[in-house]
């Protein structure tokens, strides 16, 4: 109760100082690989650019660790604050919403990503689009499209380690469903090992699911 009173008093007397302190805390936690806490402080700053930058740096690791609702809520906050006009955020929403039971929103985000697609996309953005295409093919039950969407590509490996593991597991899933189990296992086990090394628990679980197919 005392802490709440002191915080409210400081907010009333020095809102600029409160914002500055939250900004410092966001940077401190981000530098120590604590993105959820960092993003919470960034939101308290009320600065969409700061939140957007931090989310761009940490969203893939958060997804790979199972923090889907955290990412979903942050994307919603950015939209409310006019900072969602970015193909990267739109594609991220395509990955997140079906996983949290909000599949109907997927098509709108996919169309938005197309509208916002830059002339010279980064390797990370291209890799993210590849993951989206693979997920859509899997959701549609289109095995041929899934196999094609998960063909070897250097863009994921050049962009982000979480994306690289996602691609390996999606490829392994496609191969397993195509009755190429030995090829699938050769991909899945190294992907599981890499996911464990990175601390990406959700990807580890997905990898073991592939091993059981």
């Amino acid at each position: 109760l005392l802490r709440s009173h002191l915080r409210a008093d400081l907010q009333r007397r020095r809102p600029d100082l409160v914002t500055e302190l939250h900004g410092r805390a966001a940077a401190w936690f981000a530098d120590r690989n604590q993105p959820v806490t960092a993003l919470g402080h960034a939101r308290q700053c009320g600065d969409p650019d700061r939140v957007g930058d931090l989310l761009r740096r940490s969203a893939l690791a958060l997804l790979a660790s199972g923090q889907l609702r955290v990412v979903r809520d942050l994307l919603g906050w950015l939209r409310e604050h006019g900072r969602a006009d970015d193909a990267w955020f739109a594609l991220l929403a395509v990955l997140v919403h079906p996983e949290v039971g909000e599949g109907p929103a997927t098509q709108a985000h996919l169309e938005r990503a197309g509208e916002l697609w830059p002339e010279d996309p980064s390797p990370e953005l291209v890799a993210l689009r590849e993951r989206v295409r693979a997920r859509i093919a899997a959701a549609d039950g289109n095995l041929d499209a899934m196999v094609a969407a998960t063909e070897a590509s250097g863009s994921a490996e050049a962009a982000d380690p979480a994306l690289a593991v996602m691609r390996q597991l999606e490829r392994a899933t496609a191969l397993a469903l195509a009755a190429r189990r030995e090829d699938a296992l050769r991909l899945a086990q190294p992907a599981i090992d890499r996911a464990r090394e990175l601390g990406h628990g959700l990807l580890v679980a997905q990898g073991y699911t592939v091993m059981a197919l």
Side-chain angles (χ1 to χ4, degrees), residues 42-112:
R43 284 180 64 167
Q44 291 295 318
C45 290
D47 182 351
D49 289 335
R50 185 190 294 268
V51 174
D53 290 345
L54 277 175
L55 183 59
R56 186 181 290 275
R57 286 164 48 190
S58 60
L60 296 172
L62 290 172
L63 290 184
S65 302
Q67 299 280 2
L68 301 168
R69 293 189 181 276
V70 170
V71 176
R72 187 275 311 271
D73 291 346
L74 286 162
L75 288 171
W77 188 90
L78 287 173
R79 283 194 296 274
E80 291 172 3
H81 291 77
R83 182 63 173 78
D85 55 344
D86 187 302
W88 196 89
F89 290 133
L91 289 176
L92 191 63
V94 175
L95 290 180
V96 170
H97 283 277
E99 299 291 341
V100 295
E102 298 174 354
T106 298
Q107 186 59 37
H109 292 303
L110 189 61
E111 292 173 359
R112 185 62 174 156

Side-chain angles (χ1 to χ4, degrees), residues 184-199:
L185 294 180
R186 277 195 292 270
L187 280 176
Q189 188 58 62
I192 292 170
D193 294 341
R194 180 59 172 149
R196 185 179 289 110
E197 178 185 329
L198 294 167

Side-chain angles (χ1 to χ4, degrees), residues 156-212:
E157 286 76 2
D160 183 276
L163 280 175
V165 175
M166 288 177 192
R167 190 199 68 76
Q168 279 185 274
L169 291 176
E170 287 161 2
R171 180 64 176 168
T173 301
L175 293 174
L177 294 174
R180 295 170 57 184
R181 179 170 170 75
E182 290 186 5
D183 291 336
L185 294 180
R186 277 195 292 270
L187 280 176
Q189 188 58 62
I192 292 170
D193 294 341
R194 180 59 172 149
R196 185 179 289 110
E197 178 185 329
L198 294 167
H200 294 341
L202 180 61
L203 295 185
V204 171
Q206 291 176 347
Y208 282 119
T209 300
V210 174
M211 299 279 282

Side-chain angles (χ1 to χ4, degrees), residues 144-164:
D144 289 339
M146 189 177 181
V147 171
T150 58
E151 289 289 348
S153 169
S155 57
E157 286 76 2
D160 183 276
L163 280 175

